[in-house]
Amino acid sequence: MNRIFAAFLLIAFATGAGRELTGTPGVMMAMSKAVIDASRAAVELALGLVGVMAFFLGLMKIAEQGGLLTGIARLIAPLMRRLFPEVPPQHPAMGAMIMNFSANLLGLGNAATPFGIRAMQELDRLNPHPGTATDAMVRFLAINTSGLALLPTGVIALRAAAGSSDPAAILPTTLFATTCATLAAVFLTPLFARFFPAPRIAPAPMSQPAQAQADEEAALAPLPRWAGWAAALSFVALIVASVRYGQIVSAWIVPSLIVAFIVYGLTRGVAVYESFVDGAKDGFQVALRIIPYLVAILAATALLRASGALPFFVALLAPITEPLGLPAEVLPMAILRPLSGSGAFALLADLLKDPSVGPDSYAGWLASTLQGSTETTFYVLAVYFGAVGIKKMRHAIAAGLTADLAGVAAAVFICSWLYPGAA
C-alpha cells in the first residue's frame, strides 16, 4: 500500500505540473482545492458513519449476548468452515461475517459496514501478527470488495429517476456479474497468498482460558440438517421476493431487522437497552480510528482526477476496450469505481441523464450493472483495515482489484449477451 499511495501522489503531481507548464493554467490550483475538499469530505464521511455504526453495533451486541450470531454460524458452518478454515466454527467472527454478507446481499450498505468492522475486529483477535493482515482477513475483505448483492436498490432508484421503462431489469445482469466477482475473490485469494506470505514469527502460545474456550466452541454440535434446508429455502424465497417486489421488500428490511433483533434479545432474557448502549459505544471510537485512512485514500483519488491523470488513462484505454464491449462513456466509471464510490455514482447519474445515452441503452445497462455489482475496493480497505490498525495488507489489494476486474468482464459479457440490440 505504501508504493501504491506514493505512486498515486507522484503520478498526480507529475501530470498536473506537466499540464500547468505546457499551457493549461489552473491545474495546480484545482489540485490544491481538490485535496483540501477531499480531506474535509473524508472527515465528514467518517463522522457521518458514527450514528449508523453505533446503531448497528448496538444491535450486534444484543444478537451476540443472546447467542444469535453463534446460532447463525452453526447454521451455515459447513460453508463458512470451507471459506474460513482458520476461524473456529463458533467464534464471534463467524457470526459477524455472516451478518455482513447478509447485509451486502440485501443491498444494505449502511448496515453492512458496522457488521464488517465488527467481523474484522473479531478476526484481529485471532491474529498472531498484529498489524499484518491474516489470510482470513484478506479473504473476507476480497469477498466484500466483490460487491455481492441481490438488490442494488440505489441503482434501481437512480434508473427510475432517469425515466427507465424497467428500472429493476438490471437484477439478473447484476447478480451474474457480482457472483462472478465473488467467485474470483474466493478462488484466487489463496493463489495470491503464496506470493505474499505471512511473517514467519512464531505466534504467542494460546492462554489456557482461550484454549478452553476454543475447545468448547469446537465441541458444539452443528444444527440439524432440516434447519439448514429451512434456512436455504427461506433465503431462496427472499431472493424471489427481492427480484419480483424489489422496491417493496427493500423498504421492510431494516425495520424488520431491528424488530427481529430486539424481540430475539427479549426472548433470550437479554437486557436489550444496556446491551445496545454497550455495543453502540464502539461506533464513535471506530469512526475516529478510520479517519486517517480515509483521508489518505480520498485525497489521493481526488488528486488523480483533478490533475487529469485519470481522464488521460481513460482516453488511452478507450480504443482497446470499445471493441471488447466496454464503450468509452462507461470506461471512466469502471476505472473510478474501485477508487471512489461516490464519484462513480455521480458519473452514473450523469450518464443516465444524458439524452444521447439514457438508462435503457447498452451503455446505460452496462454502467448500471457495474455500479450495482462491484464495490469501492480502496474505501473498504481503508475502513476495515483502518479499524484494526492493519498496515501490512499483503495480497488484499491484488485480490480486491482482481475481483473488480472479474466483475467488469462478467458485466460486459452478460450485457452484450442479453442486450445485443442496445449496443
Side-chain angles (χ1 to χ4, degrees):
M1 189 62 190
N2 291 326
R3 294 188 180 94
I4 292 177
F5 178 69
F8 281 179
L9 298 182
L10 293 176
I11 290 172
F13 177 80
T15 305
R19 294 181 63 203
E20 183 82 25
L21 295 174
T22 55
T24 308
V27 177
M28 300 305 287
M29 182 62 69
M31 291 175 61
S32 301
K33 184 178 183 300
V35 73
I36 293 173
D37 290 345
S39 301
R40 184 186 301 114
V43 176
E44 292 173 353
L45 177 61
L47 294 180
L49 287 173
V50 171
V52 176
M53 285 195 294
F55 184 82
F56 282 102
L57 288 177
L59 289 180
M60 280 283 290
K61 194 68 173 181
I62 295 174
E64 178 184 346
Q65 294 193 352
L68 177 62
L69 298 185
T70 299
I72 296 175
R74 291 172 62 191
L75 188 64
I76 62 172
L79 174 62
M80 293 300 288
R81 274 200 295 264
R82 286 175 173 81
L83 285 176
F84 300 95
E86 312 91 337
V87 182
Q90 277 72 45
H91 193 275
M94 282 290 194
M97 286 190 290
I98 291 168
M99 297 303 296
N100 171 263
F101 293 156
S102 301
N104 276 323
L105 284 168
L106 298 174
L108 305 177
N110 288 338
T113 299
F115 293 146
I117 289 174
R118 180 58 184 274
M120 196 63 73
Q121 289 172 333
E122 294 296 339
L123 289 173
D124 196 49
R125 298 180 192 276
L126 301 171
N127 190 355
H129 312 289
T132 300
T134 64
D135 289 344
M137 285 179 170
V138 174
R139 195 174 306 114
F140 170 68
L141 190 138
I143 293 174
N144 264 272
T145 60
S146 68
L148 183 60
L150 299 175
L151 195 62
T153 53
V155 178
I156 291 174
L158 190 61
R159 288 175 54 80
S164 172
S165 60
D166 190 0
I170 62 164
L171 286 172
T173 58
T174 298
L175 183 59
F176 178 83
T178 193
T179 300
C180 291
T182 301
L183 291 176
V186 169
F187 289 109
L188 294 179
T189 301
L191 298 179
F192 286 123
R194 299 179 181 179
F195 301 97
F196 300 87
R200 295 186 177 181
I201 303 173
M206 186 178 292
S207 63
Q208 290 186 354
Q211 183 64 56
Q213 181 182 2
D215 294 340
E216 181 182 353
E217 290 171 346
L220 291 175
L223 293 178
R225 183 173 296 180
W226 64 264
W229 281 108
L233 291 175
S234 300
F235 189 70
V236 171
L238 182 60
I239 293 176
V240 174
S242 299
V243 171
R244 192 163 186 178
Y245 309 105
Q247 295 181 337
I248 298 176
V249 171
S250 63
W252 282 79
I253 291 174
V254 172
S256 300
L257 186 68
I258 295 170
V259 171
F261 275 47
I262 297 298
V263 171
Y264 179 83
L266 291 173
T267 58
R268 299 288 292 182
V270 176
V272 292
Y273 177 74
E274 288 82 355
S275 298
F276 180 90
V277 172
D278 186 37
K281 291 178 182 178
D282 293 335
F284 187 73
Q285 298 174 358
V286 171
L288 290 180
R289 200 177 303 136
I290 66 176
I291 286 177
Y293 299 88
L294 284 178
V295 170
I297 292 300
L298 295 185
T301 302
L303 283 173
L304 281 176
R305 296 178 64 186
S307 68
L310 193 59
F312 174 77
F313 188 60
V314 168
L316 200 63
L317 289 180
I320 302 174
T321 61
E322 286 220 30
L324 300 177
L326 186 58
E329 54 264 35
V330 182
L331 183 57
M333 204 198 82
I335 295 176
L336 188 61
R337 182 66 174 128
L339 299 173
S340 172
S342 58
F345 195 81
L347 288 179
L348 175 63
D350 291 339
L351 193 66
L352 297 184
K353 293 177 183 177
D354 187 344
S356 64
V357 181
D360 295 327
S361 66
Y362 172 76
W365 282 106
L366 178 58
S368 301
T369 301
L370 288 176
Q371 181 70 23
S373 61
T374 55
E375 190 49 87
T376 312
T377 298
F378 286 93
Y379 170 80
V380 174
L381 281 166
V383 171
Y384 285 12
F385 280 168
V388 292
I390 295 295
K391 295 181 176 61
K392 296 181 180 179
M393 301 183 182
R394 299 178 59 212
H395 52 301
I397 295 176
L401 293 180
T402 301
D404 290 336
L405 183 60
V408 171
V412 170
F413 169 78
I414 194 66
C415 288
S416 300
W417 183 43
L418 292 181
Y419 309 104

